Amino acid sequence: MTTLVYPGTFDPITLGHTNLIERVAGIFDQVVIAIAASERKQPLFNLDERLTLARDALAHLPNVRATGFRGLLVDIARQEGANFILRGVRNSTDFEYELPLAQMNGNLAPGIDTLFLTPPPHLTCVSSSLIREIASMGGDVVPYVPENVATALAGKFPRP
Ligand code: COA
């Protein structure tokens, strides 16, 4: 059984994330979306909201589930029996940031390999913080997020 954990803050989940998840769901037996509480990032959506948004957006993928976590990524990965960790890499800046994390996670948990996937070019510019900013100012985020996320963002930033 191959299990991959895809960690992140997912505040909120975007089509950049779901693109990667749909692709790995076709490769691995089980995919676990591990949503970090990330209190230090002061998320717009609380952990329960982010879990609900991810679960609803991924309901069409039977071998994908979402769980929340606090603490070390390698601990949740081990707890889930994961063989792999997935991280998305959009550009060289992401890669510079991700490389030491992947190496350190490999030191902490030998046997759990980090894989990198790139989103398609039209989604490379997407980040959760840009989505939050655009939504807060009344811009259109529909091309970049699942439908339920667009609705939730509209609820957070109601227009007069
Ligand atoms: N599509 C769209 N956006 C993407 C993306 C993709 N494919 N891949 C990354 N991003 C964006 C995210 O939206 C996010 O955007 P934002 O910062 O503008 O909101 C940004 O890239 C990176 O955020 P995220 O993926 O949530 O990662 P993170 O930097 O918040 O890290 C953890 C989250 C959980 C992986 C990391 O903090 C962690 O491992 N924590 C546990 C503690 C631990 O184990 N520490 C030791 C590590 S060695």
Side-chain angles (χ1 to χ4, degrees):
M1 161 94 80
T2 52
T3 301
L4 171 140
V5 164
Y6 182 23
T9 303
F10 299 102
D11 183 37
I13 193 164
T14 69
L15 294 186
H17 297 121
T18 59
N19 174 277
L20 303 195
I21 294 164
E22 284 169 355
R23 287 155 62 196
V24 290
I27 303 173
F28 296 90
D29 297 320
Q30 269 200 97
V31 174
V32 180
I33 312 308
I35 305 190
S38 294
E39 272 108 359
R40 263 185 304 178
K41 278 187 140 182
Q42 298 187 304
L44 171 66
F45 293 99
N46 67 36
L47 183 55
D48 282 345
E49 290 172 323
R50 283 178 277 142
L51 277 165
T52 301
L53 290 174
R55 285 175 181 148
D56 290 349
L58 301 168
H60 61 295
L61 299 169
N63 60 336
V64 175
R65 64 191 166 78
T67 190
F69 79 102
R70 289 184 168 78
L72 284 179
L73 169 56
V74 290
D75 287 341
I76 183 78
R78 279 202 200 95
Q79 200 179 305
E80 294 291 343
N83 324 82
F84 299 98
I85 291 168
L86 172 70
R87 291 292 286 165
V89 171
R90 295 162 297 176
N91 48 45
S92 56
T93 310
D94 277 358
F95 184 72
E96 296 280 321
Y97 173 74
E98 293 295 337
L99 188 59
L101 293 184
Q103 290 170 333
M104 187 56 82
N105 283 326
N107 292 342
L108 292 170
I112 304 182
D113 282 321
T114 297
L115 304 180
F116 297 119
L117 266 189
T118 55
H122 71 286
L123 294 173
T124 296
C125 60
V126 177
S127 71
S128 297
S129 53
L130 270 185
I131 294 301
R132 295 192 303 273
E133 180 171 314
I134 294 165
S136 74
M137 295 176 181
D140 182 17
V141 295
V142 166
Y144 307 112
V145 294
E147 219 176 299
N148 64 318
V149 171
T151 305
L153 283 165
K156 289 278 181 193
F157 303 111
R159 307 309 298 169

